[in-house]
Amino acid sequence: MQNTEQLSSYHSMLDTYNTQDLVNAFVDDQANAVQAVQAAAASLAAAVDAAVPRIRAGGRLLYFGAGTSGRLAMLDCVELNPTFSWDKSRAVARLAGGDDAMNEAAEGAEDDEAAGATELRALAPTANDVVILVAASGRTPYVVAALQAARAAGALTIGIVNNPGSVIDALAEIPVVLDTGAEVISGSTRLKAGTAQKIALNSLSSAIMVRLHKVYGNLMVDMRATNNKLVRRALRLTVAASGATRTAAREALEACGYEIKTAIVVLCCRIDPGEARLRLAQAEGSVGSVVQSGKA
């Protein structure tokens, strides 16, 4: 039996708990999710190192999943654009059952092998693409079929699963096994298995973006300032990165179309926005490289 399907020996009388003990049982069990991801950290690092050269060469991040796993994968995919200004065409998620399954469970769709393979092939994957396949069981037919099609196309396959020894664990080029074990509510992988998947997905995609120079120091310098809150955040980030006054930072941001990276280079190197963009392009978007060379 899969670890995620086993009966928990710790909470066999769960339905008799008082409310505080009930909440504590769920919250305390989440610590195991963190431990599972920590145990898989080396695999996540290997996935980042394998993915980055492909993405730099023009590849895409392609996410495939079903049910809770697929929704978490889609969430990670969608957030790359506002957080890192990542081109939407280079981060694509496919969920078993289609977009409607995001809002309404379509449990039967996970068994549709043909759909998994067809939807993967429809994206015309290349050897530079990175396919992230998420399935708690590690054997979801829709996801397995997408994995096989991705491998046939030569794409990098990263499998994120919660059961060691599963089909996806065996077939993925880089398996990331999050062995979270039995759930407080037996078999409900929306609990700590899902939590571990979210941590792993966040860590994987964020580390890739850091390696692609979307972050300067620990500052989110490539985000999109699309509302008032984010405009204020852009100003704070520009001040923190450049040491400029708020007035100077605001003027630079306005001159640069609220491109934070460009504004930082303008302020630190005392050049115009056009030259700042050129230098950033030559440095593959690395603010640190441009600033250091500008001070030399």
Side-chain angles (χ1 to χ4, degrees):
M1 181 184 292
Q2 300 175 88
N3 290 359
T4 53
E5 295 294 332
Q6 291 184 9
L7 304 181
S8 173
S9 60
Y10 294 105
H11 301 289
S12 59
M13 301 295 289
L14 185 70
D15 63 339
T16 68
Y17 289 6
N18 65 45
T19 302
Q20 188 62 66
D21 288 342
L22 182 61
V23 170
N24 289 345
F26 287 117
V27 173
D28 292 347
D29 200 47
Q30 295 296 313
N32 294 313
V34 177
Q35 293 171 2
V37 181
Q38 289 172 332
S43 297
L44 284 168
V48 172
D49 286 339
V52 168
R54 291 168 169 81
I55 300 300
R56 281 193 177 132
R60 299 167 293 173
L61 291 168
L62 307 178
Y63 296 75
F64 275 74
T68 297
S69 300
R71 294 182 193 98
L72 290 169
M74 184 168 282
L75 178 63
D76 195 75
C77 177
V78 167
E79 290 181 341
L80 294 178
N81 177 258
T83 307
F84 301 108
S85 294
W86 190 247
D87 189 331
K88 292 179 182 178
S89 69
R90 296 184 66 195
V92 180
R94 291 291 181 266
L95 173 63
D99 291 345
D100 289 345
M102 193 72 185
N103 299 310
E104 184 174 344
E107 299 301 332
E110 72 175 45
D111 293 329
D112 193 342
E113 293 182 56
T118 299
E119 290 173 22
L120 188 285
R121 293 191 192 105
L123 295 172
T126 72
N128 286 329
D129 288 328
V130 177
V131 185
I132 302 169
L133 305 119
V134 193
S137 68
R139 66 181 187 185
T140 305
Y142 172 88
V143 182
V144 172
L147 188 160
Q148 292 170 325
R151 291 215 62 167
L156 174 67
T157 54
I158 300 170
I160 299 178
V161 301
N162 295 87
N163 283 290
S166 65
V167 176
I168 293 173
D169 181 6
L171 292 180
E173 188 171 343
I174 302 178
V176 178
V177 180
L178 311 171
D179 191 1
T180 45
E183 298 284 2
V184 172
I185 297 178
S186 300
S188 182
T189 53
R190 62 182 288 272
L191 298 173
K192 69 172 176 287
T195 300
Q197 290 173 357
K198 180 148 194 338
I199 297 170
L201 285 163
N202 284 171
S203 301
L204 175 62
S205 61
S206 297
I208 289 171
M209 292 298 142
V210 172
R211 285 286 171 263
L212 295 174
H213 307 303
K214 297 292 186 177
V215 174
Y216 177 43
N218 68 343
L219 303 178
M220 189 169 51
V221 294
D222 221 1
M223 65 152 217
R224 298 169 59 84
T226 53
N227 60 34
N228 291 333
K229 177 189 72 175
L230 296 179
V231 166
R232 293 192 295 271
R233 182 181 296 169
L235 180 59
R236 290 196 301 272
L237 291 168
T238 304
V239 169
S242 67
T245 65
R246 288 176 62 85
T247 298
R250 184 178 293 106
E251 290 174 353
L253 281 167
E254 290 173 354
C256 297
Y258 272 82
E259 296 170 5
I260 303 170
K261 279 186 171 185
T262 308
I264 293 168
V265 172
V266 164
L267 291 163
C268 291
C269 300
R270 299 183 180 181
I271 56 178
D272 62 59
E275 178 65 19
R277 291 188 184 100
L278 177 61
R279 293 190 190 183
L280 280 166
Q282 292 172 337
E284 297 183 329
S286 173
V287 175
S289 295
V290 175
V291 170
Q292 288 303 313
S293 63
K295 291 180 178 179

